[in-house]
Amino acid sequence: MRSVRVLDVLFTANSAVNLLSRVAASQASKVCRLQETNPTFNDTVEPAQQEDDGVLSKENLNVASRNETVGTVRPTTVAEVLSENPAPSTPQAPQIEHKVPINISPTSSSTINAPSGLRSVRERYAKIPSALYQSLEPRVLEQPDATPVTMKASRVPASRIGRLFHYGSLAMGMGMGAASEYVRQTVNPSASGSVLMSEANVSRLVDKLSRMRGAALKLGQFMSIQDSHMLPPQVEQIFRRVQNNAHYMPNWQMERVMVAELGPEWRGHFSEFNPIPIAAASIGQVHAAKLASNGMPVAVKIQFPAVAESITSDLNNISLLLTASALLPKGLFLDSTLKATRAELEDECNYKREAECARRFRRELEGDERFEVMRIVDELSTEKVLTMERMMGVPIVLAEKWPQELRDEIATNIFSLCLRELFHFRFMQTDPNWTNFLYNTDTGKIQLIDFGASREYSKEFMDDWLRLLQAGVDGDNEQCVKYSLRLGYLTGEESKEMVDAHTRSIMLLAMPFRRETPQPYNFEDQTISDEIRSLIPFMLQNRLTPPPRETYSLNRKLSGAFLLCGKLKARVDCSQVWTDVTADYVFSTKE
């Protein structure tokens, strides 16, 4: 038996090394061809521009706190950035030579076609916040303990050749790591685990993907690994660890982007600009600043160089590495997942589009005083730089310590908004990150930020998707199967067990909206997420077709809304919310 095990491990290791070697060889040949066609290209950095490898924890970032009585850590997400006060001026900041008039346009015309909506619906949702926020005490505004996020300056590979070299070296390193792990397991019979996804190789991946930024980091969020548990533990661990390693551009590289986008005199637009970012994500970083023209606090989001241009090649390389692991379930349909990821990333890398999406949300929510959308500074926004009003709220997750009645109100409003985005706007902000919601404790308004992941849905799709979920609400299995086939969830060739598992997942999703379910629905005690999660492994192994393209983003946002309500331990009359939102829906297609 031991000899069989050794041969099995040897075969796995050799296969991994061979595959990764082919990846590295392929990348090297591409580099050689590129060098032949462009021999003068140089991806090195001038000595004076070498990256700063000093590690900055959140606690060391020099950014003023919103409230001196609140013991907060420094923000490391876009949402937390927008909730902070402006950063103080730094000694290195140049003198302002001139002030440029700035136009802050909250309602500029959008290139995205927006449905007009019914006046009666808008009037019905023209509400104001309750007075519950006035009872909040300072002590409940303290930040809860969070997992430390380390921010580190490192140069972003900005050329195709540079990125190819990084992926090629990663493949070679993982091949050598697999061989080393094979030897270790052979010498130590009690050792077990994946040869390719060893601890050393996971560390290699985390370090490299953190430095590369872009598509690889976004892929983890796209696959909803935070709650779906769709991925094997080794792959899930990689994306989780990457999320806690926020690399940002060194100053010289950030300066290049700003000069290219706003011109050599870009600093003249700001009276204050903190050169150290207060957040770094997958495709960009955010700086605190103040406008020179009127002193308004703003957040400036700057895109990493070459991220948009390298989406396709990066995803192809990541696909090779994930396939080499041989750990992904067949029902994940990696090709379809990557195709949808590519389309979303291309949209998110266009900051002009994000600005248009923010304006559209302002129009859609006009008259509803419970919500507030940040304004865009038009003259200081391009495809790669987005300057926006800095919202002064606190992360919504702080509400878990607030009075029950206020938590219920916040969760009800967010849950209602989520359904309105689907059935009224047909336009949804699909990023499930909780920190995209802030709460202004001075006004009681929920502040909405970060609209890069906004998606529009066709009327035909939404008609059938509403009918599918309504079938779940009504407990109608036959109708559930009918619209699952029409939408493309099922092909008609699935086994009875697979069909039953799929319809069971729809019934579970619809459970909070049923009249028979005790209302208000207590999200603290809900087990729906666990029950749906338990069905996923079986469905992944037996699914015959990838889910509809639209549902990748839609399901991710709905899951995020459920989890946020659970985080707040909220009680929501989901049946009433469902009835209110769907009552005015007008179908355009036949049943």
Side-chain angles (χ1 to χ4, degrees), residues 470-486:
Q470 185 64 56
V473 173
D474 296 337
D476 191 330
N477 279 290
E478 183 178 342
Q479 289 293 97
C480 186
V481 173
K482 173 184 176 180
Y483 289 108
S484 295
L485 288 167
R486 183 182 291 187

Side-chain angles (χ1 to χ4, degrees), residues 284-413:
Q285 61 192 43
V286 181
H287 295 256
K290 272 188 179 181
L291 294 181
S293 59
N294 57 14
M296 186 180 82
V298 293
V300 184
K301 184 157 68 170
I302 307 172
Q303 190 173 128
F304 296 136
V307 166
E309 295 77 11
S310 64
I311 291 173
T312 298
S313 61
D314 280 6
L315 288 177
N316 288 341
N317 289 324
I318 291 298
S319 176
L320 284 172
L321 292 173
L322 289 175
T323 303
S325 70
L327 292 171
L328 297 181
K330 64 178 183 179
L332 188 61
F333 290 97
L334 184 60
D335 289 344
S336 297
T337 302
L338 293 177
K339 183 178 180 180
T341 304
R342 181 179 297 111
E344 290 197 12
L345 273 171
E346 289 172 351
D347 286 344
E348 292 187 42
C349 285
N350 186 346
Y351 287 172
K352 281 189 175 181
R353 179 186 182 278
E354 181 175 350
E356 296 287 353
C357 292
R359 296 186 186 101
R360 175 166 173 178
F361 263 90
R362 286 182 67 91
R363 291 196 302 273
E364 296 287 6
L365 291 171
E366 185 177 355
D368 192 340
E369 296 298 322
R370 297 171 301 172
F371 300 98
E372 186 177 8
V373 177
M374 84 280 188
R375 294 175 294 168
I376 304 298
V377 182
D378 297 323
E379 282 79 1
L380 300 180
S381 297
T382 69
E383 286 191 2
K384 298 183 185 301
V385 172
L386 180 62
T387 304
M388 49 198 157
E389 173 188 17
R390 189 127 44 89
M391 309 301 270
M392 307 310 290
V394 298
I396 206 79
V397 292
L398 290 184
E400 63 180 314
K401 295 183 177 180
W402 297 354
Q404 182 70 53
E405 191 175 2
L406 180 55
R407 282 185 277 134
D408 295 345
E409 178 184 279
I410 292 172
T412 299
N413 290 339

Side-chain angles (χ1 to χ4, degrees), residues 9 25 49 176 203 254 328 342 379 407 412 569:
V9 174
Q49 297 173 333
M176 295 176 63
S203 296
M254 178 272 293
L328 297 181
R342 181 179 297 111
E379 282 79 1
R407 282 185 277 134
T412 299
K569 300 180 178 64

Side-chain angles (χ1 to χ4, degrees), residues 199-215:
E199 178 62 29
N201 271 352
V202 167
S203 296
R204 287 187 179 93
L205 271 169
V206 169
D207 179 69
K208 187 65 69 176
L209 298 184
S210 297
R211 289 176 177 271
M212 296 291 287
R213 288 83 149 184

